[in-house]
Amino acid sequence: MNLSAILVVSFPAQVESCMARLDTLPGVAVHHSDPATGKIVVIQEAASTDAEVEGLKRIKALNEVLMAEMIYHYFEGDETLETAMPAGLDEFQGLGELPEFLNPRKE
């Protein structure tokens, strides 16, 4: 089981339509919203971390979404995490390369 909390930011005038679209996505439920600021918190449940990353990509691709970032992640029993990062996460989040000052192996 993988659960994540995702902060979504939308134009304040589009919060209602954004929430309606978010509620149609599989495993996604709107938990809280602030129409004045356009901020929406959603909870996503996915079978694996790969499915979780794909869900975040779907949220980011919605027309009403200005920004969406995972702010909390809980996983249990996902053995793929013990062997490798989820496929596509590096290229999606730009996490593949460490700055040289954070990579002691390059010295």
Side-chain angles (χ1 to χ4, degrees), residues 4 11 19 22-23 26 33 54 60 67 69 86 88-89 106:
S4 55
F11 291 108
M19 290 191 310
L22 289 166
D23 274 335
S33 68
E54 290 304 314
K60 287 185 172 193
M67 182 210 82
E69 293 297 336
L89 184 60
K106 286 193 170 185

Side-chain angles (χ1 to χ4, degrees), residues 5-98:
I6 300 170
L7 173 64
V8 177
V9 178
S10 177
F11 291 108
Q14 296 181 331
V15 167
E16 292 298 322
S17 63
C18 186
M19 290 191 310
R21 300 244 348 242
L22 289 166
D23 274 335
T24 65
L25 298 175
V28 173
V30 173
H31 179 70
H32 179 76
S33 68
D34 182 3
T37 63
K39 293 178 183 173
I40 303 165
V41 175
V42 300
I43 304 298
Q44 176 181 243
E45 182 175 347
S48 68
T49 52
D50 289 333
E52 204 166 29
V53 170
E54 290 304 314
L56 180 58
K57 288 179 183 178
R58 281 191 296 272
I59 291 170
K60 287 185 172 193
L62 295 176
N63 288 337
E64 297 90 346
V65 172
L66 295 173
M67 182 210 82
E69 293 297 336
M70 192 176 299
I71 55 175
Y72 178 79
H73 173 78
Y74 171 80
F75 63 95
E76 179 178 284
D78 189 346
E79 295 176 7
T80 60
L81 280 181
E82 297 174 8
T83 57
M85 293 289 285
L89 184 60
D90 286 352
E91 66 187 52
F92 177 61
Q93 295 287 345
L95 301 175
E97 294 291 326
L98 285 175

